[in-house]
Amino acid sequence: MVSTVEDAATRCVTLPASPVLKASLKRSLPPPMTLGVSEALPDEIPLDSLKAVLPSLENGQPGHVNGNKSFMLGKNMHGSSLEITEPEHDDEVTGEKDAYMASVLARYRKSLTEKTKYHLGYPYNLDFDYGALSQLQHFSINNLGDPFIESNYGVHSRQFEVGVLDWFARLWELEKDEYWGYITNCGTEGNLHGILVGREVLPDGILYASRDSHYSVFKAARMYRMEAVKVDTLLSGEIDCADLERKLTEGKDKPAILNVNIGTTVKGAVDDLDLILKVLERVGYTEDRFYIHVDGALFGLMMPFVKKGTWDLRYIRKKSLSGEVHEAPKVTFKKPIGSVSVSGHKFIGCPMPCGVQFTRMKHIHCLSRNVEYLASRDATIMGSRNGHAPIFLWYTLNRKGYRGFQKDVQRCLRNAHYLKERLREAKIGVMLNELSSTVVFERPLNEAFILKWQLACQGKIAHAVVMPSVTVEKLDNFVEELIEVRKRAFPDGRVEIPCIVEEVGPLNCACSLHRGSPTFQAVTTPVKGDWRVPAPIKNGKSISGA
C-alpha cells in the first residue's frame, strides 16, 4: 500500500503503461474536463464559466430577475465535481485506484496553495502550523454533549475544551462558576445558540439587530419563529442608536433581545455597546427585560488586544449622537450582556471552521437536558462536536498567549491603514473604520479579478480583510493589479471613478464630484503616533463635531 500522497502521485507517473492499466484508468478516471477544472489556478478561471449561472448581463452589469436587482454568483460546482466510482475487483492488487486518488489530491493541494496566495476577501488567518497535532488525526474525537460533564464516550478532548473556555472567561471577566460555554462548529452556530438562549430567557422577546448584522442572526429569527426588527445603520455600518431608540420605544411592551456587532460582516463596524445600554435605560428597559448577544466573530477576539499607544484605537475618544464624549466600548460580562460568540478559525487560525460560544451559567438551565443515552447533559445546538477543534485552539492559545495576539492585532491594524493609504494614492474610494482591519473600497469592474482575489462584494463596494497572514508584499501586489485592471477597463485613458458616497460617505468617495471636496482632502494623517479618526457620517453628513 502507498503511505503518502506524494509517493502515490509518483507511482501514478511511473507505473508501466500496460494495456490492463490503460483500460483500468480509462474506467476510473472522470472526464478530462473535470480534471482540467480541478487543477485550474485562480488566475486561469475563465469568466465564461460563470455565464451558465449568472443572470443576464446588461452593458456588462448584472441584470434583473423578477424585477429585483440581481447579484453575481459563483461557479456552478456541478461542472467541476469529482465523480465517485466503484473500485474494480483487482484494485487492491494493482493499486490503480489509490494512485488515481493520490494524483487528484496532489493536484488539489497545488490548487489550494495557489488560491491561498490570492486570499484577501474573507477574514481567515492562514498563518498557522499544526504539524505537531497530525499524530491525533487517526482518532475520532467527539465532544458530544455538555463540555463540563463527561459522557460515556471516552475518546473526547473535554480537558482541552474547558481549558480554552477558562482562557476566554479570564478575557471576558467572568468567574469559572458563573459561565457556561462550548466550542462550536462555526461562528454561525454561536449566533444561533446565543439568540436561542435569549429567546428561552425571554420567550416573547423581540429580536433587534442592525441591517449590517451577519445573515445568521436573521436566520436564527426565522428558525425560532421570532419577531425580528431590523435597525438602520450609519454609513460606517455601526448601528444607528437613534433609530434603535425609536424602535425600542415602539415595541417596549415586549422584552428586547439585541444582537450587538463587534465588527460587522462587510464594513467591520463596531456597535457601541455602552451607548446601546444607555438607550435601553432611557427607554425604560430594566435588566430583567432585555438580553444582549454579542457577535464578535472576528474583532471580538482582536479588540481586547489593541495595545495602549501607537495603535491603541480603543482609547480614541469620540462624540456620540447626543454629543456626549465617551471611549470605545469594552466587551465584558461585568456589563449586563447575556452571551458572546467568536470564531476560532478567523483571527486565531484553524484548518477547520470553529468558534466559541459563551453565556452566563444562570441562563443555560433553561436549555440543558439530561440525555440518558450519553450519560451526560446537553445544551448545545449540534450535540456531536468536533473534538479536534478545541485541541487546535488550545495549542495556539498556549503558543501565542496575550502578547502574541497583541502583536498580531497591531500588525493587522498597521497593514490595514497601509492598504487604505495605497488605495487613496491610487484615487480609489476607500473607507476604514476605527477598531477594524476591514478595508472597504469601490467594487472592481473586472469580475475575474474579484474571483481571483476572492473578494466579498455588496452592491458597489468590496472589502479586503487584513489578517495576520496578510503581508505588505501581498497588499502591494493586490493594489498594483487592481490599478492595472482599472486601466484596462478604460483603454482611452479616461478613467471613470464610480461614486460610492451612499455607501461610504463623501470623506471616502473618490469620484470627480467628491474628490476635490475638503472632506476628501482631510484624509487620515499620523499625529504624534496616533491616527486622526474621522467623525461618524450619516446620510452624507457628519453626525458629530469631532
Side-chain angles (χ1 to χ4, degrees):
M1 292 298 292
V2 179
S3 58
T4 66
V5 168
E6 290 79 2
D7 291 341
T10 302
R11 282 190 57 193
C12 184
V13 174
T14 58
L15 281 172
S18 67
V20 175
L21 173 59
K22 288 181 178 179
S24 177
L25 287 176
K26 185 176 181 180
R27 288 193 301 270
S28 59
L29 283 174
M33 183 181 70
T34 303
L35 286 175
V37 173
S38 71
E39 59 185 346
L41 304 185
D43 53 352
E44 297 172 348
I45 297 175
L47 189 58
D48 289 344
S49 64
L50 292 173
K51 290 183 177 178
V53 292
L54 287 178
S56 59
L57 299 180
E58 299 177 4
N59 300 321
Q61 299 300 318
H64 293 72
V65 177
N66 297 327
N68 298 319
K69 189 172 183 180
S70 59
F71 53 89
M72 287 291 185
L73 299 175
K75 289 196 302 178
N76 188 331
M77 287 304 297
H78 283 291
S80 58
S81 62
L82 292 167
E83 183 183 3
I84 297 176
T85 59
E86 287 297 310
E88 296 296 330
H89 68 279
D90 58 348
D91 275 342
E92 291 187 6
V93 177
T94 64
E96 293 166 6
K97 192 64 172 286
D98 286 340
Y100 156 67
M101 290 189 295
S103 68
V104 171
L105 293 175
R107 284 192 296 273
Y108 178 61
R109 180 176 179 177
K110 178 184 177 183
S111 175
L112 291 180
T113 301
E114 288 297 323
K115 289 181 179 179
T116 298
K117 293 179 183 178
Y118 303 102
H119 188 281
L120 200 56
Y122 289 84
Y124 302 145
N125 179 11
L126 306 179
D127 183 18
F128 55 78
D129 181 5
Y130 291 110
L133 303 182
S134 61
Q135 58 185 312
L136 303 177
Q137 68 178 350
H138 303 291
F139 299 97
S140 179
I141 309 176
N142 190 334
N143 287 3
L144 53 110
D146 193 300
F148 301 96
I149 304 174
E150 186 171 357
S151 73
N152 52 17
Y153 184 75
V155 187
H156 63 78
S157 61
R158 280 177 169 79
Q159 60 273 51
F160 294 92
E161 182 172 19
V162 174
V164 170
L165 295 173
D166 285 346
W167 187 90
F168 279 95
R170 294 192 298 272
L171 183 69
W172 291 326
E173 301 179 308
L174 195 58
E175 296 298 322
K176 290 183 179 181
D177 59 349
E178 295 179 351
Y179 86 83
W180 186 92
Y182 72 103
I183 307 299
T184 64
N185 291 301
C186 60
T188 287
E189 185 182 348
N191 286 339
L192 292 177
H193 192 276
I195 294 171
L196 177 61
V197 173
R199 200 280 305 272
E200 293 300 296
V201 172
L202 301 171
D204 59 341
I206 300 174
L207 175 63
Y208 297 88
S210 80
R211 296 184 181 277
D212 281 24
S213 297
H214 190 260
Y215 72 89
S216 62
V217 173
F218 304 107
K219 177 193 288 188
R222 293 193 303 271
M223 290 176 63
Y224 305 146
R225 298 293 191 266
M226 297 173 66
E227 182 180 355
V229 175
K230 289 187 178 181
V231 182
D232 291 339
T233 56
L234 308 178
L235 282 176
S236 65
E238 179 182 346
I239 193 169
D240 183 347
C241 283
D243 187 54
L244 175 63
E245 185 167 352
R246 285 191 295 271
K247 288 173 177 173
L248 283 172
T249 302
E250 293 171 0
K252 66 178 181 179
D253 57 323
K254 292 184 177 181
I257 301 169
L258 295 96
N259 179 78
V260 174
N261 297 303
I262 306 300
T264 56
T265 308
V266 177
K267 296 182 177 179
V270 176
D271 292 341
D272 194 326
L273 175 59
D274 293 336
L275 185 55
I276 290 171
L277 289 170
K278 290 180 179 178
V279 168
L280 285 164
E281 181 181 4
R282 191 157 56 241
V283 176
Y285 284 86
T286 54
E287 290 186 14
D288 62 336
R289 295 192 66 245
F290 70 81
Y291 179 96
I292 292 177
H293 170 68
V294 177
D295 178 7
L298 172 61
F299 215 79
L301 192 50
M302 294 176 66
M303 194 163 64
F305 300 105
V306 179
K307 183 180 179 182
K308 186 175 182 179
T310 303
W311 295 99
D312 188 3
L313 302 181
R314 260 196 320 172
Y315 292 85
I316 294 177
R317 299 169 70 83
K318 62 179 182 178
K319 291 186 178 181
S320 67
L321 289 169
S322 64
E324 179 184 359
V325 178
H326 65 287
E327 292 182 350
K330 177 182 178 182
V331 175
T332 170
F333 278 87
K334 292 187 180 299
K335 299 175 182 179
I337 61 176
S339 54
V340 179
S341 64
V342 297
S343 294
H345 58 288
K346 291 182 178 176
F347 187 69
I348 295 177
C350 194
M352 75 281 290
C354 60
V356 175
Q357 163 63 2
F358 222 76
T359 188
R360 297 179 187 272
M361 178 68 78
K362 66 180 182 180
H363 293 327
I364 206 62
H365 296 302
C366 58
L367 277 180
S368 186
R369 297 289 186 274
N370 287 325
V371 183
E372 182 180 1
Y373 167 75
L374 303 179
S376 181
R377 293 179 66 83
D378 190 19
T380 67
I381 294 285
M382 303 305 294
S384 285
R385 295 180 293 108
N386 186 340
H388 290 270
I391 304 174
F392 282 90
L393 297 180
W394 175 89
Y395 186 81
T396 296
L397 294 177
N398 269 296
R399 290 194 67 185
K400 288 196 172 184
Y402 290 108
R403 285 190 296 272
F405 285 118
Q406 194 173 78
K407 290 179 181 178
D408 283 348
V409 169
Q410 291 179 56
R411 184 167 66 254
C412 289
L413 297 178
R414 183 168 56 247
N415 289 348
H417 278 271
Y418 174 79
L419 174 58
K420 185 194 75 171
E421 294 306 314
R422 283 294 318 270
L423 292 172
R424 278 191 180 275
E425 291 170 2
K427 294 183 173 57
I428 295 173
V430 58
M431 179 182 78
L432 175 61
N433 275 310
E434 55 184 306
L435 298 174
S436 179
S437 63
T438 300
V439 182
V440 181
F441 51 93
E442 61 193 57
R443 179 175 181 152
L445 299 175
N446 188 298
E447 293 297 329
F449 176 84
I450 292 173
L451 282 174
K452 175 180 177 180
W453 287 93
Q454 301 157 63
L455 300 179
C457 302
Q458 181 174 285
K460 295 181 180 179
I461 57 176
H463 75 201
V465 186
V466 181
M467 301 299 288
S469 54
V470 175
T471 63
V472 170
E473 180 183 7
K474 187 173 189 175
L475 296 176
D476 284 337
N477 292 338
F478 170 76
V479 173
E480 290 164 9
E481 187 172 338
L482 177 58
I483 294 172
E484 183 59 31
V485 163
R486 189 163 71 167
K487 284 181 180 178
R488 291 201 301 266
F490 300 95
D492 60 356
R494 300 178 62 182
V495 176
E496 297 180 13
I497 301 175
C499 179
I500 55 174
V501 68
E502 292 183 1
E503 288 77 16
V504 300
L507 179 66
N508 304 301
C509 182
C511 76
S512 58
L513 180 63
H514 301 101
R515 186 167 63 245
S517 66
T519 52
F520 183 80
Q521 298 299 324
V523 297
T524 305
T525 53
V527 178
K528 295 182 181 179
D530 280 324
W531 291 83
R532 286 193 182 127
V533 177
I537 297 171
K538 182 181 181 183
N539 298 329
K541 297 181 180 180
S542 172
I543 61 172
S544 77

